[in-house]
Amino acid sequence: MTDRPPLLERKRRQARERIVRAAEELFDERGFDAVSITEIADRADVGRTTFFRHFGDKQSVVFAQEEELMATIAEAHGHTAAPIPLTPAEAVAQLRDIVVALCAQAAQDPAGYTRHYELIAQHTELQARDALKMQQFGRSLAEILTSRGADDNTAQLAAQIALACHQAARTQHHNDPRTLADDAREAFDQVLSIGSPGNGTDSQPAAD
Amino acid sequence: MTDRPPLLERKRRQARERIVRAAEELFDERGFDAVSITEIADRADVGRTTFFRHFGDKQSVVFAQEEELMATIAEAHGHTAAPIPLTPAEAVAQLRDIVVALCAQAAQDPAGYTRHYELIAQHTELQARDALKMQQFGRSLAEILTSRGADDNTAQLAAQIALACHQAARTQHHNDPRTLADDAREAFDQVLSIGSPGNGTDSQPAAD
């Protein structure tokens, strides 16, 4: 947190952020299909070459911030000391903190969050990319668990359950950014109490 | 099962099956990118018009059989009488049978199954479509539960957990079709015993 990146790296990041912001504005104003890469570059005050240094295509820009956030969070937690997750329950509990942190940070800009998912909802190809991106995040989650000593089966299952809780949270309250992190935490709590005595006939989730 | 579809419908289905088979053979022989729709239609002994009556594009053919299977299984189970799933555990248990049935049927042609996933692994766009297709299947699963009287939150969470078990099974044994259904069943059993006493420190999955 205290290391300042060198000037060139800061400028590179600023250009990237301008591209993402410009693309979001333009998609919002005119719709995803009607916006060209040249227009995004113009609004961001960069050349097309700079655009392609950062992004492979127009769709990638849509997921730039979320993927960066996922990478940052996965890396931070990858370096956090934690006990070996021996069971699916322990593994899922470890991933809960990561997914809730992701939800909390993704929703820090509620208007941007809502705009992002409204855009995705309108385009099947963006929905497909979104689903693929989540699977890639799932692989990062599984890697965190195996790096902590979990066996591969436990890591894969727990990672998929963590994605399930994230996805379920996105279906609650019409994917409201203000409730997203709480909805994710509740989904995890429900999963983690799924086999508890009494929960076969009791619809109450476990207390937090 | 005893109703025979009329002749025209049978012919339509046969043409569709020939297209799927022809596409699979050609993708296998020359790779997905190198095959044109005209070549698929020629090998299937149909015209391009017939191809487009069945499929929107080349990628759709890759998922034709699995999507048909998903629709058939979801519809069959949608009409099966079942108690109201009151808890996530009950809802997940009801979906277990559906997902295991899907795995068993998808793997009935092991060579075709393996060819299908090898093809997907080579193409990011097909991986994205695969991930999207699973999310669409998740919506069918949630609808089955709500049609049985489950509340929406329970249905959404259980559907996502069912997808998680399916996806976890695909990561086991290198997605071996011969073990897929058993792997899916075991993933469900592990999830359903996740909150059981002793399972916080005990890595054994529940007995079947």
Side-chain angles (χ1 to χ4, degrees):
Chain A
M1 295 292 278
T2 54
D3 286 343
R4 248 175 104 76
L7 181 65
L8 264 176
E9 174 61 18
R10 281 215 307 282
K11 278 189 175 294
R12 204 191 63 86
R13 278 198 207 168
Q14 284 162 4
R16 187 183 171 91
E17 279 161 24
R18 282 206 309 278
I19 292 169
V20 171
R21 186 61 52 101
E24 281 179 352
E25 286 171 10
L26 285 164
F27 295 157
D28 196 40
E29 286 166 25
R30 304 218 303 274
F32 181 75
D33 289 331
V35 175
S36 73
I37 287 174
T38 304
E39 289 169 315
I40 296 170
D42 282 353
R43 167 97 47 127
D45 205 18
V46 301
R48 275 174 60 92
T49 311
T50 302
F51 179 95
F52 284 113
R53 204 176 290 139
H54 288 280
F55 299 105
D57 56 20
K58 198 169 67 170
Q59 288 136 345
S60 308
V61 191
V62 175
F63 299 102
Q65 285 188 304
E66 204 175 5
E67 282 182 353
E68 225 166 285
L69 181 57
M70 285 174 172
T72 306
I73 288 180
E75 211 200 311
H77 283 85
H79 292 120
T80 307
I84 299 174
L86 292 173
T87 65
E90 290 172 359
V92 170
Q94 288 191 7
L95 296 184
R96 172 174 51 189
D97 297 339
I98 302 177
V99 171
V100 171
L102 177 73
C103 290
Q105 289 205 38
Q108 269 186 342
D109 167 18
Y113 181 88
T114 300
R115 208 164 51 220
H116 177 68
Y117 282 103
E118 281 174 358
L119 179 63
I120 290 175
Q122 290 159 18
H123 296 270
T124 306
E125 66 189 300
L126 294 179
Q127 286 168 35
R129 284 241 191 164
D130 179 59
L132 179 65
K133 175 206 69 192
M134 290 315 298
Q135 282 301 324
Q136 287 161 341
F137 183 56
R139 279 198 283 281
S140 303
L141 295 178
E143 279 164 20
I144 290 173
L145 294 174
T146 49
S147 77
R148 289 174 179 178
D151 75 73
D152 195 54
N153 287 8
T154 301
Q156 297 291 349
L157 180 61
Q160 290 298 328
I161 291 173
L163 294 187
C165 293
H166 182 265
Q167 194 66 29
R170 298 208 305 196
T171 66
Q172 310 292 302
H173 300 113
H174 304 284
N175 198 9
D176 187 334
R178 294 165 304 179
T179 59
L180 184 70
D182 286 342
D183 288 337
R185 186 178 294 283
E186 193 180 314
F188 274 96
D189 288 346
Q190 287 194 295
V191 170
L192 286 168
S193 65
I194 220 168
S196 304
N199 252 42
T201 52
D202 174 3
S203 64
Q204 294 305 308
D208 197 349
Chain B
M1 296 290 279
T2 54
D3 287 342
R4 248 176 105 74
L7 181 65
L8 264 177
E9 174 61 19
R10 281 214 309 282
K11 278 190 173 294
R12 207 192 62 85
R13 280 198 205 169
Q14 284 163 4
R16 186 183 171 90
E17 279 162 23
R18 282 206 309 279
I19 292 168
V20 171
R21 186 62 50 100
E24 281 180 352
E25 285 172 9
L26 285 164
F27 295 157
D28 196 41
E29 286 166 24
R30 304 216 304 272
F32 181 75
D33 290 330
V35 175
S36 73
I37 286 174
T38 304
E39 289 169 315
I40 295 171
D42 282 353
R43 167 92 52 123
D45 206 18
V46 301
R48 277 174 59 94
T49 311
T50 303
F51 179 94
F52 284 113
R53 204 174 292 141
H54 287 281
F55 299 105
D57 55 20
K58 198 169 66 168
Q59 288 137 343
S60 308
V61 191
V62 175
F63 299 102
Q65 285 189 304
E66 206 175 3
E67 282 181 353
E68 224 165 286
L69 182 57
M70 284 173 171
T72 307
I73 288 179
E75 212 201 310
H77 283 84
H79 292 120
T80 307
I84 298 173
L86 292 172
T87 64
E90 289 172 358
V92 169
Q94 289 191 8
L95 296 183
R96 173 174 50 188
D97 297 339
I98 303 177
V99 171
V100 171
L102 176 73
C103 290
Q105 289 205 39
Q108 269 186 344
D109 167 18
Y113 181 88
T114 301
R115 208 166 49 221
H116 177 70
Y117 282 103
E118 280 174 0
L119 178 63
I120 290 174
Q122 290 159 18
H123 296 270
T124 306
E125 67 190 299
L126 294 180
Q127 286 167 37
R129 284 239 190 165
D130 180 59
L132 179 65
K133 175 205 67 192
M134 291 314 299
Q135 281 302 324
Q136 287 161 341
F137 183 55
R139 279 198 284 280
S140 303
L141 294 179
E143 279 164 20
I144 290 173
L145 294 173
T146 49
S147 76
R148 290 175 179 175
D151 75 73
D152 195 54
N153 288 8
T154 300
Q156 297 291 350
L157 180 61
Q160 290 298 328
I161 291 173
L163 294 187
C165 292
H166 182 266
Q167 194 66 30
R170 298 208 306 195
T171 66
Q172 309 292 303
H173 302 114
H174 305 284
N175 198 8
D176 187 333
R178 294 166 304 181
T179 60
L180 185 70
D182 286 342
D183 288 337
R185 186 179 294 282
E186 194 180 312
F188 274 96
D189 288 346
Q190 286 194 298
V191 170
L192 287 168
S193 64
I194 221 167
S196 303
N199 253 41
T201 51
D202 174 3
S203 62
Q204 295 305 309
D208 197 349

